[in-house]
Amino acid sequence: MIDHITIAVSDLERSKAFYESALEPLGYRCAFGKESVFWAFDVGGSLFEIQRTDEKPPLTRLHVAFRVRDRAEVAAFYQAALQAGARDNGAPGPRPEYAGNYYACFVLDPDGYNIEAMINEPVPRA
C-alpha cells in the first residue's frame, strides 16, 4: 500500500489553500505539517503531501513511500533496490524526526526520484 506521496510545489501557502479547497468536497483535510516546509493531507488512510521545492534530501520533486509490514522488509527493499541500480538516499533506520516509531529507508530510482519503504509502528515484543 502507498503510505504517502509528496510533490514539490513552487508556492507552499498558495498550494495549501488550493488543496484545502479542492479536497474539501471529498472529505479530505490537512492533517499536519510544518509552516514553510510541508503540509500533509489525510486522503483516506494515505497521505498526500506538498513541500517546498528547495528542501534538502531525502525529499525530491517526487516522493513515494511504500508501507511495509516490518523492519526486515525495509532492509530487504533497500538491498534489492541498491542491487537493481538505485542510489542510496538514506539507509534503513529510525526517523524520530518524523514520528516516534518511524523506521524507513530511502533510495533514488534511475530517474532520481525518492522512493521510500517505511513502517510507523512499535517494534513487536518477543
Side-chain angles (χ1 to χ4, degrees):
M1 170 186 273
I2 293 177
D3 185 79
H4 60 276
I5 293 176
T6 306
I7 63 169
V9 296
S10 60
D11 183 325
L12 184 62
E13 294 312 310
R14 181 181 63 176
S15 292
K16 180 182 184 234
F18 168 80
Y19 283 111
E20 283 176 324
S21 294
L23 296 175
E24 193 273 332
L26 305 177
Y28 300 150
R29 307 268 186 274
C30 187
F32 62 92
K34 185 174 180 183
E35 192 75 33
S36 300
V37 178
F38 82 101
W39 296 106
F41 295 83
D42 183 340
V43 292
S46 295
L47 295 173
F48 173 73
E49 300 174 346
I50 56 174
Q51 72 166 42
R52 287 182 42 184
T53 58
D54 60 348
E55 286 302 301
K56 303 274 188 270
L59 301 176
T60 57
R61 292 200 55 81
L62 176 70
H63 169 74
V64 177
F66 293 99
R67 187 178 305 155
V68 300
R69 291 180 288 256
D70 56 40
R71 291 178 177 209
E73 284 190 351
V74 171
F77 167 84
Y78 180 75
Q79 289 304 317
L82 292 178
Q83 289 175 2
R87 290 178 291 144
D88 170 54
N89 199 30
R95 301 294 194 279
E97 66 273 25
Y98 301 153
N101 294 309
Y102 207 99
Y103 188 90
C105 70
F106 302 88
V107 298
L108 298 176
D109 79 356
D111 292 303
Y113 295 125
N114 188 36
I115 310 300
E116 174 185 359
M118 56 74 60
I119 186 167
N120 189 17
E121 296 178 11
V123 177
R125 294 182 187 213

